[in-house]
Amino acid sequence: MKRIRSYELLEPLGPQGKYCRTYLARNHDLPSVPYCVVKQLHQPPFPKIQELFAREAKVLDRLGQHSHIPRLIASFSEGNSDGDYFYLVQEY
């Protein structure tokens, strides 16, 4: 399966959109290799979507201590031959 940094993408979760995909993954940064969720946003031609994605990361970071909201593990961007991508990684 595909890897993004230290996250091994196992399978898609739910329906996949044109610009955003969500995956069940394993976090190989930690010794227990826990499950996590990776949300991948392909850089769309709409700057507003990028802004909303960045805002979501900030809100998740603030709210991550609530027992009913998955904790934000990482937020980063990365480019490859397919283009630029933005990622949110959360607890599973």
Side-chain angles (χ1 to χ4, degrees):
M1 195 76 198
K2 187 175 179 180
R3 278 181 86 130
I4 304 296
R5 293 191 179 185
S6 62
Y7 306 102
E8 177 186 10
L9 305 183
L10 301 173
E11 63 183 78
L13 293 175
Q16 305 300 301
K18 183 174 182 178
Y19 296 114
C20 191
R21 296 188 171 124
T22 305
Y23 298 94
L24 176 64
R26 300 294 298 259
N27 183 350
H28 288 271
D29 272 343
L30 299 173
S32 62
V33 192
Y35 286 101
C36 59
V37 174
V38 174
K39 188 183 290 187
Q40 176 191 58
L41 176 73
H42 187 270
Q43 183 174 343
F46 314 109
K48 183 69 174 175
I49 293 176
Q50 295 172 29
E51 180 184 321
L52 292 173
F53 204 74
R55 186 182 312 164
E56 181 179 353
K58 288 178 185 176
V59 169
L60 286 172
D61 189 38
R62 276 199 327 261
L63 298 177
Q65 302 307 314
H66 193 283
S67 63
H68 296 287
I69 298 173
R71 184 176 57 90
L72 180 67
I73 297 170
S75 173
F76 58 92
S77 61
E78 195 170 275
N80 63 33
S81 61
D82 295 333
D84 292 327
Y85 291 87
F86 300 95
Y87 295 92
L88 292 178
V89 182
Q90 294 177 266
E91 286 179 317
Y92 178 67

